[in-house]
Amino acid sequence: SAATDENILRAAIAAELDRTRRRSLALTDSVDDAELTRQHSPLMSPLVWDLAHVGNQEELWLVRDVGGLVPLRSDIDELYDAFRHARADRPALPLLNPAEAREYVRGVREKTLDVLDRTPLRGRRLVDEGFAFGMIIQHEQQHDETMLATHQLRRGEPVLHAPAAPPSIAPPSAREVLVPGGPFTMGTDAEPWALDNERPARTVHVDAFHLDTAPVTNAAYAEFIAAGGYDRREWWTEEGWAHRQRAELRAPLFWTRDSDGTWWRRRFGVTEPVPADEPVVHVCLHEAQAYARSVGRRLPTEAEWEKAARHDPATGRSRRHPWGDAAPTERHANLGQRHLTPAPVGAYPLGATPAGVHQLVGDVWEWTSSAFTGHPGFAAFPYREYSEVFLDGGYQVLRGGSFGTDPSMARASFRNWDLPIRRQIFAGFRCARDATRAERT
Ligand code: AVJ
Ligand code: FE
């Protein structure tokens, strides 16, 4: 019955809220108070800011907007407004201390669960108010990835622990696949929890192109460095070269080279040899573009990436995931902070597309050649601040999710964005090339 369906949905939302909160608490309970309030990099907030910020957004969107309740604290909204204070300035604010922040998020959560109990989750109410729950869950999950990136930046002994990623069991048989030209459905109207920037669905024509079956690996990237990649002006875009000079880029973030030329990386407090077969991570858009040019290739556009990940030539439909519509399991993709590293190429054959493109989802975010723009017909929902204020052309689209991304965002319509120079995010890339006229027919 409708009432039973509503209760099942309510229980599912409560379970997701709880599962997500456990991760947020694991990320913040694993360090002491001094580390929670310290700024590990000017690029990031102190962890205690993220914790109270997810609580504050939950209070604004669910407790006040949906529930119509009075706030636990209205005096702190200003401190946790991401648009009011740049990350670099956040440590200087009179933030809640760790004990206060924990108490705050716990108190907000109690009210949220009351609101959930009495919010009708059907028809228009589901679209307008139920959606706010899905959105606030995804918001916290995204901050969990941001907090994981803060952990990666911190110095000191390892505090996060996770099993090693699975080994390569069936690497792709070909280097690239031809994606035939033609239309496909980009974006979505059908995904209930899709965010405003994924909507609406529309038909997009994509010319035939080739896409690499795997992300670029550390070994391949090290060859680019050995070939003088960081000094070959001709491989960089003008903007990329200017940034390469200014920022003195020489290797991916967290890489160092010892006297015999071996590359090492720091990963969550452990220094280890760079594993050859894992996708490269912690490179910016400019490095990705320079690499691609060095091998006579380019980055895929966002539409190309999404077509390769979703379009099913057999039915003409766009599917939820590269492997089909089934929800991701731990055998499909490296997601959800289960492993604190990308997995080697070939570790997830079950997650490949029918055409044989591996690891589009999970492991590393993939830079695309597209700036973040609204799909035609874009309408901000429910707040301008989620996407619309970032649609100014200065942000670049990343697709696919990383090992730090929650599986709830593994839908292949999901869009991430960041500044072209950012490297602290878990971003890598794969290459593409145009199809020649002969290959097209
Ligand atoms: C979609 C990951 C770019 O972290 O800035 C968090 C997500 N929005 N709080 C970000 C987000 C508001 C957003 N990204
Ligand atoms: Fe936020």
Side-chain angles (χ1 to χ4, degrees):
S1 74
T4 316
D5 287 352
E6 218 176 310
N7 283 331
I8 291 171
L9 179 57
R10 202 168 270 124
I13 290 172
E16 279 294 277
L17 282 164
D18 185 58
R19 181 178 71 78
T20 302
R21 181 54 51 83
R22 284 168 195 271
R23 167 103 343 240
S24 307
L25 294 179
L27 287 158
T28 48
D29 287 345
S30 49
V31 292
D32 63 23
D33 284 8
E35 282 219 48
L36 277 176
T37 51
R38 179 178 311 153
Q39 189 167 44
H40 298 279
S41 154
L43 294 174
M44 306 305 271
S45 313
L47 290 165
V48 74
W49 185 91
D50 286 274
L51 182 63
H53 166 79
V54 302
N56 183 243
Q57 294 287 301
E58 183 174 322
E59 184 174 69
L60 281 166
W61 297 352
L62 292 180
V63 177
R64 293 185 224 179
D65 276 15
V66 176
L69 300 180
V70 293
L72 263 81
R73 315 246 329 216
S74 53
D75 55 317
I76 59 172
D77 291 352
E78 193 269 332
L79 297 174
Y80 297 103
D81 180 343
F83 294 94
R84 202 74 76 86
H85 306 285
R87 283 177 175 175
D89 302 332
R90 291 175 192 167
L93 301 172
L95 301 177
L96 300 186
N97 70 34
E100 290 166 342
R102 291 188 177 105
E103 179 53 27
Y104 175 62
V105 300
R106 200 198 51 71
V108 171
R109 180 53 56 87
E110 218 167 81
K111 291 206 179 192
T112 295
L113 294 175
D114 289 343
V115 173
L116 177 61
D117 265 344
R118 53 187 182 70
T119 303
L121 296 175
R122 55 181 173 269
R124 200 62 227 172
R125 305 289 301 268
L126 176 59
V127 176
D128 290 343
E129 290 159 293
F131 181 77
F133 288 91
M135 181 149 183
I136 212 70
I137 290 166
Q138 291 176 73
H139 178 258
E140 182 163 346
Q141 290 166 341
Q142 293 191 35
H143 276 275
D144 288 347
E145 181 162 358
T146 300
M147 288 194 273
L148 190 68
T150 302
H151 270 268
Q152 168 59 18
L153 282 160
R154 72 176 269 284
R155 300 258 165 195
E157 290 303 299
V159 294
L160 297 178
H161 304 281
S168 178
I169 48 176
S173 50
R175 175 194 177 169
E176 61 181 6
V177 299
L178 176 71
V179 179
F184 87 108
T185 303
M186 186 168 180
T188 182
D189 296 322
E191 289 285 341
W193 306 117
L195 301 166
D196 58 2
N197 64 60
E198 299 164 65
R199 303 168 187 273
R202 73 215 187 280
T203 302
V204 173
H205 176 88
V206 177
D207 284 340
F209 71 104
H210 292 270
L211 185 66
D212 281 5
T213 54
V216 170
T217 63
N218 288 324
Y221 198 84
E223 278 177 39
F224 162 75
I225 302 176
Y230 281 88
D231 298 312
R232 300 278 292 264
R233 168 69 188 86
E234 69 276 19
W235 287 343
W236 296 72
T237 63
E238 196 173 319
E239 185 189 339
W241 183 250
H243 180 66
R244 139 79 188 90
Q245 297 291 75
R246 200 179 324 116
E248 298 178 20
L249 302 182
R250 277 177 245 275
L253 189 58
F254 307 115
W255 283 30
T256 50
R257 190 164 25 189
D258 69 17
S259 51
D260 27 285
T262 309
W263 285 109
W264 295 73
R265 70 174 179 190
R266 194 181 90 227
R267 184 178 62 82
F268 299 108
V270 179
T271 299
E272 60 190 16
V274 168
D277 298 337
E278 283 179 16
V280 67
V281 60
H282 299 301
V283 288
C284 68
L285 173 71
H286 302 306
E287 291 166 295
Q289 286 177 326
Y291 175 94
R293 198 181 285 177
S294 80
V295 293
R297 302 165 91 80
R298 60 174 174 80
L299 298 183
T301 65
E302 181 182 18
E304 287 172 338
W305 191 99
E306 187 166 329
K307 183 174 183 185
R310 297 183 67 197
H311 180 64
D312 177 12
T315 62
R317 276 184 59 237
S318 276
R319 310 188 302 177
R320 294 202 70 196
H321 305 293
W323 55 86
D325 291 314
T329 70
E330 59 181 55
R331 297 185 58 215
H332 287 104
N334 181 11
L335 292 161
Q337 308 188 12
R338 269 196 311 273
H339 311 293
L340 295 175
T341 173
V345 168
Y348 292 95
L350 206 65
T353 69
V357 184
H358 287 232
Q359 286 159 291
L360 280 160
V361 166
D363 298 297
V364 293
W365 287 105
E366 299 181 16
W367 287 109
T368 71
S369 64
S370 303
F372 186 51
T373 54
H375 290 343
F378 168 84
F381 179 78
Y383 303 99
R384 286 190 63 245
E385 288 72 19
Y386 183 73
S387 309
E388 195 177 17
V389 297
F390 297 100
L391 295 172
D392 62 5
Y395 292 84
Q396 199 77 8
V397 174
L398 299 120
R399 301 297 297 260
S402 78
F403 63 88
T405 307
D406 194 273
S408 79
M409 288 168 289
R411 57 181 183 273
S413 58
F414 187 84
R415 309 172 73 200
N416 192 7
W417 65 90
D418 214 323
L419 296 173
I421 63 170
R422 287 296 182 240
R423 308 206 296 169
Q424 88 281 13
I425 54 175
F426 303 110
F429 63 101
R430 79 176 67 217
C431 295
R433 67 179 174 95
D434 295 349
T436 63
R437 191 190 295 258
E439 287 163 336
R440 225 171 283 185
T441 49

